[in-house]
Amino acid sequence: MPTNFTVVPVEDEGEGGNSVASGGDKPISLDKIFQEEETGDNFQGLNTGDDQIESSPFITADGNREHYYEGKNMALFEEEMDSTPMVASLLNKLANYTNLPQGVREHEEAENEEGVPRVPVMVSQMGTFIGVYLPCMQNILGVILFLRLTWIVGTAGILGSFAIVSMCCICTLLTAISMSAIATNGVVPAGGSYYMISRSLGPEFGGAVGLCFYLGTTFAGSLYILGTIEILLLYIVPTAPVVKEGEDSAGPNNMRVYGTCCLLLMALVVFVGVKYVNKLALVFLACVFLSIMATYAGVIKTAIEPPEFTVCLLGNKTLRNDKFETCAKTQEVKNITSTTDLWSIFCETEYPNATCDPFFNNNNLTEIKAIPGLLSGVIKDNLWGEYAPAGVPIEKKNLPSVDDPEMETKMPADIKENFVFNDIATYFTLLVGIYFPSVTGIMAGSNRSGDLRDPQRSIPIGTIMAILTTSFIYISCVVLFGACIEGVVLRDKFGLSVKKTPVIGVLAWPSPWVIVIGSFFSCCGAGLQSLTGAPLLLQAIARDGIIPFLQIFGHGKANGEPTWALLLTVGICEIGILIASLDAVAPILSMFFLMCYLFVNLACAVQTLLRTPNWRPRFKFYHWTLSFLGMSLCLSLMFISSWYYALVAILIAGCIYKYIEYRGAVKEWGDGIRGLSLNAARYALIRLEEAPLHTKNWRPQLLVLCKLDSDLAVKHPRLLSFSTQLKAGKGLTIVCSVLEGTYMTRGKDAKTGEQNLKAAMVAEKMKGFSHVVVSSNLRDGFSLLIQSAGLGGMKHNAVLMAWPAGWKHARDSLARRNFIETVRETTAAHQALLVAKNIDHFPGNQERLKEGNIDVWWIVHDGGLLMLLPFLLSQHKVWRKCKMRIFTVAQMDDNSIQMKKDLQKFLYHLRLDAEVEVVEMHDSDISAFTYEKTLIMEQRSKMLKQMQLSRTEREREAQLIHDRNTASHSASEKAAGAPPDRVHMTWTKDKLMNEKNRHRESMGVKDMFNMKPEWENLNQTNVRRMHTAVKLNEVVVKKSQNSQLVLLNMPGPPRNKKGHENYMEFLEVLMDGLDCVLLVRGGGREVITIYS
């Protein structure tokens, strides 16, 4: 596979660029390379003197660069060296890259700032065995193996235990395959699994799963500490309890007291220095292997000579034998029959005629071997499980027993406590949750990737080999425990029937103390490792900055050790210790680890299916089906272990996800979810184009034409507010603007304007897209946006813009022509057009209209858009309390009463609540006011034409002067005495007024001879249109002057371009006297329907 190089800028150090050529001697961090790359990307946007560069094609940035490239063979690429370095320089930087821990790097930087010479830190490069295999083995093998595996085998049976172990081991093996693929797809810095998930699935998933993994690691510390205290109080110093809780020396309160003390002691060790924990790791690992070897040696010894441990049963019920030595009611000593210690326990006195417990009288005592041996055939009895509720004595089914149905209620408590009971109700799913923590710890290798000589080779091999090894150990232990140990002893969780000895210790050789001491130090080491790793993980999450409230936990001591994170970890760990039950804590951390493993599999599957170009793992033995199988198995195990814990874990992860989505920092890590979104968007866009949109699914997809002022700020922010209110966060919104010029000169302005648009959209809480284009003129720019904005089926169907309020006072007709052409182009493109007058008077998103009306003046049918818009507005909290009123106009021949009934029925079918009113407009004579308005309009149009003509003449005159000045000197002198080529015409304000007065005088003389009033020569089409605008405006102002918003049908411009100069005058007259007006022009299709 060809190697992929990332181009990064070269940092010029030293004199003459020699250090550039050599690459420098100091290590360069990957973060520094990436920062320099970003600087190089932004270099093109800076103004570096374009004129100078264009005049001198090979000019260098500074004198040092000139000296560096002097005499070189790469002068052709000289200009690009600031952003694209030579390959030799890049390779030298990559070769000197060091992946130091974050704390070490910060410590070095702090020393350098203080002026102390930086001492190079040499990181030991470990191989597969030391760096990955052994840490994984130490994390996987632990407390469950020594304290609970025998109980799981006895309760679930060999077959059930084999199923539990197989499911959990297959789950971790599939996860390890997925993790190996991700870990070999690039460098994995500090953070381990969190880094892999967050960079593969994005900050939202990464933060949620990272915190779940952190909680799992923290509760794992609680689990190991509880295991440590259980071993201490039950087997090492059973006389140490500070709280007397009956016969149970490891009761909940004692667990809490000693567990808290142990936690504080471990936290102090971690705070003093992690190096002490690392130095002790080898000792703890040796204890684990020594204990396992003692167990296997004990199994071999049982085939030769079984241990002499025995179990005493009364009837078929198991007795605690820590208070007696002889399993008999009486014994003969020197031919004298005497009672035993058991007699004293169950009888009132030690004499043979004493009154004893009925169950003791009715049943015989039986003594059997606790470890029958590998060849005894006990494996047949242990194949199937024996689940029981809590408080039931452990029984051997094939022994005779005379049971008393009222034994549980009649037997005194001091006698009952001599039996071995099930402390909790047992069932298969509970055992899965308790066992799963024994297979966690597969991430230990990936967390140490910075210390490995070849991480991309060591992580897959070491992790998978560690899982296979531990899986063999667990499965072999399941079979060997079932083949060697008696069933009632297996189900004895705490070894009470074998003189308070751990069951696995009874099997071990040469002494049970090997298991006791080994498991004690193993649990201690695992607890210290958890208290060391969890704060580092939290610190990595906090330093990413994706969760604002965790930023304080990113700080620590001078050497980078996470002090604040350690305090939080200790607090959470204390919660687990206060639970005071290893069996209750185990399912909790199972949930968090399973969720983490689930998302590791999901990350690998997503990256594989998307086939992103950057997905090139060196580990090739993976497939997306294996990842999905692992993900499904993780999810199944979550609900098998505890469905309510699973729901709580999912809820916690979901809450963190939504918090990061809404409040967290925006990060772009090239994650797979982004690629998945792109694929889903592409698929959806293609599907949308396959069939035309149905009327029921129509909603306004807005193209907002926004204007920027001279500072490139949004001129009308309320336009964005109104679009938000109109859409209520749904549908497509594209906010666009146009800058005049060329992209080469105004490219930076376009980026600035786009950033300002985005900032305004964020301020208005508006979701959508922003875009600024540069065009030679505004008209072409808006035309381009109307034609090409959007993509595929997600194109806009409506254009929203502000009314050009200053068009009358403009020195030219450019604003008027741009507006009219926009209206024409939206009509030609079959798009709706919404024009807001006085947009700055519209309510903002923070306002709440307590009352008022939204008036709709339905003059012509536009596809129902006028009906739909007020309904959409009323869905927003700003307009929610406004009432909708619909007005329509009746002519002389219309039946207004029937029109009102029909309109009410139509609104009823549309499911719209609105008041209906029919306004009658009778034919009337055209008023003198109308004629005067028309006359002023036409005179204004003529004056604008003359001003336009004068501007053209001035341009032609300037061209003529330029031609004269560029002629030869002799021709100039000759032309000096000649008459000018043309009349000098300079249009001034005085000349304009004189021309206007002269025109009026000539018109007056003409009218005097014709004997006709001045307005009779007006264009009658204009007169009729003005009459309509005036009369309609009178009615609208009378009915809707105080309304919060008035929606009007927008008449279209004239089809021929000769009369377009008067179009905006008609619209001004139509809206005169109204404050907030929305002109609406339909797109030529139905947008609302009465059908479901």
Side-chain angles (χ1 to χ4, degrees), residues 755-769:
Q755 291 175 355
N756 293 340
L757 281 180
K758 289 180 179 178
M761 293 170 68
V762 171
E764 298 295 337
K765 296 182 179 179
M766 177 183 182
K767 293 184 179 180
F769 308 97

Side-chain angles (χ1 to χ4, degrees), residues 219-232:
F219 276 103
S222 302
L223 181 80
Y224 294 130
I225 291 174
L226 289 174
T228 302
I229 302 305
E230 185 176 304
I231 295 170
L232 178 71

